Amino acid sequence: MVIGYLRVSTGKQNLANQQNEIRRFADSKDFVIDSWVTEVVSGRKRERDRKLGTLLKRMKPGDTLIVAKLDRIARSVKGGIEIIDSLLAKDVSVNILNMGLMNNTSTGKLIRNVMLAFAEFERDMIVERTKEGK
């Protein structure tokens, strides 16, 4: 089963760009997207546990999760590591289009953790600037 995961933070944002990126990738690899999971919720909110948590629980060995960008699946280092490691442990392929296929090699973990740190930093800066603007 191949699942496309899409997330935006607010209803004003558009899921179409992510969906188009995933479709183009899937077409180039002759994948058929069996299911789409979409969420309109901040990457840091616990409400994500409903849809994302359900998705993570239902994925089985041999499944593939495709996400357009790393920050769509997690906005914190801890959360990203937990999500990706749990999927890899279940033998689920995780393909983050702006990074490639995730793996548990030393280099793969390093790159993933550095990029997750940047995603968390970016989120923190957005929050900080928003507070300053109020």
Side-chain angles (χ1 to χ4, degrees), residues 31-84:
F31 286 152
V32 173
I33 304 295
D34 299 302
S35 176
W36 294 94
V37 175
T38 62
E39 294 193 285
V40 179
V41 64
S42 170
R44 287 265 178 119
K45 297 270 173 141
R46 299 303 289 164
E47 295 116 50
R48 294 183 72 216
D49 290 346
R50 272 195 327 266
K51 281 191 177 180
L52 184 60
T54 300
L55 168 64
L56 298 176
K57 287 176 189 166
R58 81 172 201 216
M59 295 197 82
K60 298 184 229 54
D63 287 349
T64 299
L65 178 66
I66 303 175
V67 183
K69 295 178 182 168
L70 185 63
D71 67 350
R72 299 298 83 201
I73 198 164
R75 277 293 210 168
S76 73
V77 175
K78 181 181 178 191
I81 290 170
E82 288 173 0
I83 290 167
I84 293 169

Side-chain angles (χ1 to χ4, degrees), residues 75-97:
R75 277 293 210 168
S76 73
V77 175
K78 181 181 178 191
I81 290 170
E82 288 173 0
I83 290 167
I84 293 169
D85 283 352
S86 71
L87 290 168
L88 294 176
K90 289 169 65 169
D91 200 26
V92 171
S93 294
V94 181
N95 203 319
I96 311 292
L97 298 186

Side-chain angles (χ1 to χ4, degrees), residues 90-108:
K90 289 169 65 169
D91 200 26
V92 171
S93 294
V94 181
N95 203 319
I96 311 292
L97 298 186
N98 71 340
M99 291 184 61
L101 193 60
M102 299 288 102
N103 60 45
N104 272 331
T105 64
S106 299
T107 304

